[in-house]
Amino acid sequence: MPLTQFAKKPAPYLLICLLIMIASFIWTLIIGIHLWVKTTPNPPYSSYSITHANNGVTIHSIRTPPENIGLKAITSNVVDTKINGINGGFFWEGYLLSIAVINDHPVKGQQGDYGSGWFNIDRKRGTLVWDEKAQTFTIQVVENAEDLKVMDRNHYWAQGGVSMGLQNPDGWAAQAVSEEMPVIDEKRMRSGIVYDHNNNVYLIVSPTPCTGEQFRTAVLEQVGNGQLVDGLFLDGDGSSQLRVADYTLPGDHRDVFQMIALLK
């Protein structure tokens, strides 16, 4: 229709045409967005990888968001729990020697109980804290959970270990020794937990006997695509255990008493 004829049409006719055009545009936009959402895959909630560092250390790592982490007291090998995850902090004869706390509740017993997960026993040690309200990770060197700094004590979790010092290339070893890192210079299986700038958390186990330095170097090289911020050494040697899907690392088949679990 020529523009001169279109302009001569009555106002109601023009309004109807305009409404039809607007409705057609909105419908086209809705269909386009729907198709884009449908065809754009979301990144996996958790992922598992096996990589090999240049120093010969094999790294098994699970990447997951912090809200998918659960801390559990167990009396079993991680492989036998049927729960995906890795071993947690240090222990002795069933007593937990590392902090393992969710919302101010230790995983084994009550606040203040020896071996409950309320204490890094006998010494201030590195503790990874997820502050849900602040949406931030921190490494806090403390002796008990009461000293942890969080925005809301009903919305956090904290896992103790030994500071890995990923931003401290010159002083990390001295700090780890001050926190009584066991057998740091001996070749043992190793475990750790680290986080990156995007608040991804990585659960890491190496079945390769390696020193603390070799493990730390392999983690920096192979995990997090250069985005790691910091993390902890966890219990190691025969306690270095992992279960995820069809992959299992039983360590030396011993029982452990705390694990870091995937909730789903």
Side-chain angles (χ1 to χ4, degrees), residues 43-49 61-65 68 196 200-203 262:
Y45 191 69
S46 299
S47 64
Y48 174 65
S49 64
S61 66
I62 304 168
R63 178 195 54 78
T64 199
N68 195 36
D196 67 17
N200 293 304
V201 61
Y202 301 81
L203 310 180
L262 302 184

Side-chain angles (χ1 to χ4, degrees), residues 27-179:
W27 183 245
T28 302
L29 186 63
I30 290 172
I31 292 175
I33 292 173
H34 176 73
L35 290 175
W36 182 84
V37 170
K38 194 172 183 178
T39 58
T40 303
N42 291 321
Y45 191 69
S46 299
S47 64
Y48 174 65
S49 64
I50 305 172
T51 57
H52 306 281
N54 290 329
N55 63 6
V57 174
T58 297
I59 294 291
H60 295 245
S61 66
I62 304 168
R63 178 195 54 78
T64 199
E67 59 268 20
N68 195 36
I69 293 293
L71 309 179
K72 297 182 179 294
I74 61 175
T75 307
S76 174
N77 191 283
V78 168
V79 168
D80 297 328
T81 64
K82 309 307 179 186
I83 302 169
N84 291 332
I86 70 169
N87 62 286
F90 301 93
F91 62 87
W92 177 253
E93 294 184 347
Y95 294 107
L96 304 188
L97 305 182
S98 300
I99 286 175
V101 169
I102 301 173
N103 303 335
D104 256 8
H105 298 289
V107 299
K108 188 178 182 180
Q110 304 299 318
Q111 292 183 4
D113 287 352
Y114 182 88
S116 65
W118 187 250
F119 299 100
N120 288 321
I121 289 177
D122 295 333
R123 185 162 305 263
K124 293 181 178 181
R125 294 189 180 91
T127 304
L128 177 61
V129 181
W130 169 246
D131 188 330
E132 182 183 344
K133 284 299 180 79
Q135 288 290 291
T136 56
F137 278 110
T138 54
I139 298 291
Q140 301 183 31
V141 181
V142 298
E143 191 168 350
N144 66 75
E146 186 177 357
D147 295 332
L148 295 171
K149 307 300 182 186
V150 293
M151 289 185 67
D152 186 337
R153 303 198 74 86
N154 292 313
H155 294 89
Y156 81 99
W157 58 258
Q159 174 65 60
V162 170
S163 300
M164 197 177 285
L166 297 184
Q167 305 300 320
N168 185 14
D170 298 322
W172 74 269
Q175 179 63 33
V177 170
S178 76
E179 296 178 18

Side-chain angles (χ1 to χ4, degrees), residues 2-22:
L3 290 177
T4 53
Q5 289 183 301
F6 188 80
K8 292 178 182 179
K9 295 292 182 181
Y13 178 84
L14 295 177
L15 180 60
I16 290 170
C17 288
L18 180 61
L19 291 175
I20 291 172
M21 291 171 62
I22 292 172

